[in-house]
Amino acid sequence: MVRLCVIVIAFNEIERISDCIESLLEQTSPVEIIFVDNGSVDGTLELVHSLFGSRVAVYSEAHVNIATSMSRAIQMGLSHSEASHFALLAGDDAW
């Protein structure tokens, strides 16, 4: 079982999302990645699908404010992962 699940939350981060997810995939310990798109309209969701395929669990929702988006993303992560530890990462950050 993967011990760490990182929930990545993004809205219109097409310029930075690749670096964000690559930084997680480069870790020496296995990391489960759950990507939650907050209704991006710049192609972020499509880019994640095309570049990372099955290496990242991808979920999409209608655009909402950041507090609601974070809350929903956390709930998705907790309900779709069996990891023992969780972390949040914004789509414009790197691990």
Side-chain angles (χ1 to χ4, degrees):
M1 172 167 79
V2 175
R3 295 196 53 183
L4 177 63
C5 173
V6 179
I7 303 164
V8 178
I9 306 164
F11 173 70
N12 288 342
E13 294 293 350
I14 196 164
E15 297 295 325
R16 297 176 209 78
I17 196 63
S18 295
D19 291 338
C20 173
I21 294 175
E22 286 291 344
S23 74
L24 292 168
L25 292 172
E26 292 170 355
Q27 298 304 303
T28 57
S29 296
V31 176
E32 177 183 10
I33 304 167
I34 294 180
F35 172 76
V36 181
D37 184 79
N38 184 16
S40 295
V41 295
D42 68 345
T44 299
L45 179 63
E46 294 80 10
L47 181 70
V48 170
H49 272 297
S50 68
L51 291 181
F52 303 107
S54 64
R55 297 183 291 167
V56 175
V58 179
Y59 300 93
S60 180
E61 62 182 8
H63 181 66
V64 293
N65 66 57
I66 188 64
T68 302
S69 176
M70 289 183 75
S71 175
R72 288 181 182 173
I74 292 167
Q75 290 172 1
M76 280 185 202
L78 292 174
S79 65
H80 289 97
S81 175
E82 294 182 12
S84 57
H85 294 81
F86 291 85
L88 294 175
L89 188 63
D92 62 349
D93 287 332
W95 194 258

